[in-house]
Each structure stands twice: as structure tokens, then as C-alpha cells.
């Protein structure tokens, strides 16, 4: 019993000391969201794990806030007592115990570097923070930390001229000061919607890899040989085989334009071509990347695309099976496709459009340097659904136009009828006026005749 009492006294002293330290040092903590986010940005710019670690309060500090909470409200004390029974809730916010906090920081730094981010040259573009709703697991914690936020930090890499989004969580506000700021993921994105969409694609891809472990590390030579052969893969919206290849040192650049083409080789073999125009530093030659698919093969091959001094487009696929030499005329490419066996075909490609989902899938193949097999039937169904939707909308629009035309005709007839009635009323009023004038003239004439007769009678009498 004595040992327990001694332990409790020591723990209380430690908590009191930690709480006093928090009160003493809290002016160092940011007072606004902006200060908090720029302080977090600074830790990323410097890759300063220690400074990032210091953004978070310790478990002792949080526990002291629970123990010494001055709110005597019955409901508050009730939920705080429940929180005291679960101190592990507070441990999750202390990077000393929750290693995933610092692990997430290291993951974002490493992933950013792999994506070409130059951390020392990043600047804040903007940030978006949303208030986090309290969860069942954190009942009582809102009495200590009344406001918690999550959201995104968008940064510009001045060197790579690319915008990236960083998912941020657990930015917490206590007594007018901000702390925390876990970083969870980084992706090239300009908006929250774009980030969420890309993150979902990333999660779907890793889930697919987990479900297909035999296709994760396909040999490069085999993958390229398979890409030239007929595809007998079972129908699946997206089949991807990772291809190992050496880094070529190029920094991923921002896509400024996308173009999708469909056409044929020798008016027989269908071909699909997708080209992306990349943002290029001033004074440098325009850069391109893309993919294409030949015949009934489901696999899209990544392309090396250049434009020579004569203005011809030289397009070579990753398998080195075929090369195209094309000339652009407006929205059309014409030229030839040839292979190592000197087989040549005439190429005609016309710029069209495609579903957003398909464009996103093709972007994924290019950005992740994959060899992609796509089940086109999925997109054909989407195309048919879109066509059916457009036809319904066109029919609805036509019906609405016809209804408006009928309504217009009805209003026109109504207006004509009103004009005829008004004209008739005007004519009748004018006739009545004319009759009134005639009657008045007749009466006046009669009066004058009567007066003349009276005068004559008076003369005869005299």
C-alpha cells in the first residue's frame, strides 16, 4: 500500500510538472491556423524530424489537462472519468509512443522525393482545413481539445514547377494555441477533389496488387514480349503488370493538354492513341508522353514521342515492336507504322473524345510506368450509357422545345384574339361616338329651325 501511495505521489508530481511546463512554454506554439501550417511546412522544407516531433504535446501534458481540468460540470466530469479509464487514447497523439506519426512524416518525405519533389524549394500555395467531428473512441477528449482539424496543404515545387497536395490530420487547438499536424500522404494534385480521386486510384491499385501477388514483379523482357502478343486475359476493368525499369533522371512534369485519337492501319486494323503535352521550362523543347493500342489487343504500350526538325512526329512503343512517323494536319494524323520486319502500314488517326474514367486509367498507366491491359467492354458500356443518357436528354430537350413552341403558339393566338377584341371594342366605341355626334347635330339643327320658325311667327304677329 505504501509503495502504491508513493507511486501515485510521484505520478501526480510528474503530471503537475508537465502541466506547468505546458503553461510556461505554450506561447511558442502557433496562435493561428496559418502559423501552424507554415511551421509544419518548415519541417518538411528542412526535413527536420526533431522539429516535427516538437509540434506535438506529450502524453504527460495531455494527461495533466485531463487531471487538472477546471470544468466542474457534472457531464464534463463524467466523460473525463471515462477518459481517465482509457489513457491509451491520449497515447495515440504522442509521437513518442505512436511511431506512425513520425513514420508518416518519413513516408511523405521519401514518397515526395521519389516523385521528384525538391523539398528545399517548396512554397505554400494554400491550405484547406475542415473541422473534425468527435468520434465514439474520443468521448471526453473534446473537453480537453475542443477543436480538431483535418485537410490538405498544397505546395508548389519551384524547381519542378508542379503542385502537390499533402493530406494533413489532427491539427488540434487548445486554449487558443495550435499543435499537431500529422502528414499522411502526398500526391500531385491542385484540388482536394483531384487528390481524393488519385488517392482512391492508388488504393485500388495496391489492393489489386495484393490480390494478384503473382503479377507484381513481372520480368521486363517477358512483359515486353507479352505486350506484342495477342491478349487472352480474362475480362477485368484494369489488369496491370509492373515493369521494372531504370530511372532516367527526368522530373515528372505537369500535364497541360491531353489528346485522344482513334483510327486505323491500312483501313483495317484499329488503333487508339493517347498523347499528353507536358509542361516544359521556357526555352526547352516541348515534351510529350502517351500510350497506344493496336488491333484487338487489350494491352496499352507506353510511348517515346518526339518531334523532329521537319515537324514530323516520331512515336516508338516501349516494346520496340513498332514505330510511327506521322504528320499532323489540324485534328488528324497521317503517316506510316512500321516494325522491325519492315512491314509498313498507312496510318490515319482523328482526334475524338473518351470517357473521363478511361482517361484517368490511361494516366495511371503512364504515371506509374506500367504496362496496362484494359477491358474495353467496361468503357464501351459507359459509352453506351452516356449515349443513351445523351439521347434521353436530347429527347427531353426536344419535347421541352415543342412544349415551349406550343405554348408560344397558344400565347400568340391568345394575343391575336385579344387584339381583335380590342379592335372591335374600339370600332364600336368610335361608331357610338359618331352616332352621338350625329344625334347632337340633328338636335341642334332642329333647335335652330324651331327658333327660326318662332321668329317668323313673331314677325307675322307684329
Amino acid at each position: 500500500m505504501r509503495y502504491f501511495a508513493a507511486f501515485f505521489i510521484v505520478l501526480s508530481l510528474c503530471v503537475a510538472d508537465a502541466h506547468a511546463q505546458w503553461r510556461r512554454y505554450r506561447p511558442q506554439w502557433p496562435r493561428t491556423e496559418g502559423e501552424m501550417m507554415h511551421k509544419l511546412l518548415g519541417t518538411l522544407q528542412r526535413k527536420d524530424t526533431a522539429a516535427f516531433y516538437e509540434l506535438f504535446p506529450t502524453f504527460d501534458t495531455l494527461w495533466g489537462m485531463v487531471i487538472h481540468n477546471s470544468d466542474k460540470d457534472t457531464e464534463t466530469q463524467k466523460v473525463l472519468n471515462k477518459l481517465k479509464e482509457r489513457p491509451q487514447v491520449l497515447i495515440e497523439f504522442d509521437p513518442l509512443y505512436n511511431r506512425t506519426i513520425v513514420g508518416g512524416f518519413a513516408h511523405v518525405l521519401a514518397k515526395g522525393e521519389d516523385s521528384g519533389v525538391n523539398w528545399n524549394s517548396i512554397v505554400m500555395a494554400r491550405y484547406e482545413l475542415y473541422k473534425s467531428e468527435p468520434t465514439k473512441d474520443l468521448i471526453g477528449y473534446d473537453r480537453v481539445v475542443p477543436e480538431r482539424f483535418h485537410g490538405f496543404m498544397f505546395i508548389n515545387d519551384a524547381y519542378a514547377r508542379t503542385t502537390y497536395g499533402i493530406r494533413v490530420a489532427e491539427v488540434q487547438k487548445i486554449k487558443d494555441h495550435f499543435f499537431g499536424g500529422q502528414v499522411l500522404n502526398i500526391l500531385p494534385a491542385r484540388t482536394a477533389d483531384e487528390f481524393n480521386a488519385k488517392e482512391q486510384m492508388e488504393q485500388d491499385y495496391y489492393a489489386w496488387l495484393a490480390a494478384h501477388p503473382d503479377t507484381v514483379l513481372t520480368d521486363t523482357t517477358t512483359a515486353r514480349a507479352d505486350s506484342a502478343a495477342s491478349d487472352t486475359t480474362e475480362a477485368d476493368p484494369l489488369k496491370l503488370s509492373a515493369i521494372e525499369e531504370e530511372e532516367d533522371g527526368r522530373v515528372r512534369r505537369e500535364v497541360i493538354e491531353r489528346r485522344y485519337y482513334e483510327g486505323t492501319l491500312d483501313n483495317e486494323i484499329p488503333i487508339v492513341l493517347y498523347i499528353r503535352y507536358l509542361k516544359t521550362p521556357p526555352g526547352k523543347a516541348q515534351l510529350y508522353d502517351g500510350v497506344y493500342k493496336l488491333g484487338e489487343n487489350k494491352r496499352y504500350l507506353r510511348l517515346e514521342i518526339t518531334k523532329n526538325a521537319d515537324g514530323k512526329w516520331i512515336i516508338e512503343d516501349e516494346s520496340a515492336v513498332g514505330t510511327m512517323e506521322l504528320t499532323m494536319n489540324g485534328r488528324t494524323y497521317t503517316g506510316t507504322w512500321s516494325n522491325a520486319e519492315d512491314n509498313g502500314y498507312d496510318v490515319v488517326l482523328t482526334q475524338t473524345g473518351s470517357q473521363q474514367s478511361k482517361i484517368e486509367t490511361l494516366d495511371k498507366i503512364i504515371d506509374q510506368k506500367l504496362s496496362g491491359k484494359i477491358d474495353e467492354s467496361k468503357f464501351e458500356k459507359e459509352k453506351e450509357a452516356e449515349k443513351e443518357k445523351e439521347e434521353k436528354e436530347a429527347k427531353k430537350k426536344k419535347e421541352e422545345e415543342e412544349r415551349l413552341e406550343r405554348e408560344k403558339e397558344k400565347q400568340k393566338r391568345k394575343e391575336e384574339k385579344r387584339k381583335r377584341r380590342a379592335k372591335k371594342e374600339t370600332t364600336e366605341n368610335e361608331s357610338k361616338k359618331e352616332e352621338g355626334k350625329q344625334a347632337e347635330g340633328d338636335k341642334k339643327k332642329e333647335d335652330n329651325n324651331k327658333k327660326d320658325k318662332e321668329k317668323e311667327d313673331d314677325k307675322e304677329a307684329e
Side-chain angles (χ1 to χ4, degrees), residues 381-394:
K381 290 177 181 177
E382 290 183 2
K383 191 173 182 179
E384 290 176 3
E386 287 182 4
K387 185 178 179 181
E388 185 178 348
K389 183 180 178 182
E390 289 175 357
E391 289 176 350
K392 286 182 178 179
E393 290 178 351

Side-chain angles (χ1 to χ4, degrees), residues 213-227:
D214 295 338
T215 60
V216 173
L217 294 176
T218 304
D219 180 70
T220 304
T221 305
T222 304
R224 288 183 174 176
D226 288 345
S227 69

Side-chain angles (χ1 to χ4, degrees), residues 231 233-240 293 296-300 355 357-358 361-362 365 372-382:
D231 187 5
T233 307
E234 294 181 1
D236 197 0
L238 178 63
K239 291 284 187 179
L240 301 173
K293 180 177 74 72
E296 300 302 323
N297 196 336
K298 295 179 183 178
R299 186 184 298 277
Y300 279 80
Q355 298 93 334
S357 58
K358 185 173 183 179
T361 301
L362 296 178
I365 291 172
K373 299 177 183 178
I374 298 179
D375 180 11
E376 297 286 348
S377 63
K378 172 190 174 184
F379 303 109
E380 288 298 326
K381 290 177 181 177
E382 290 183 2

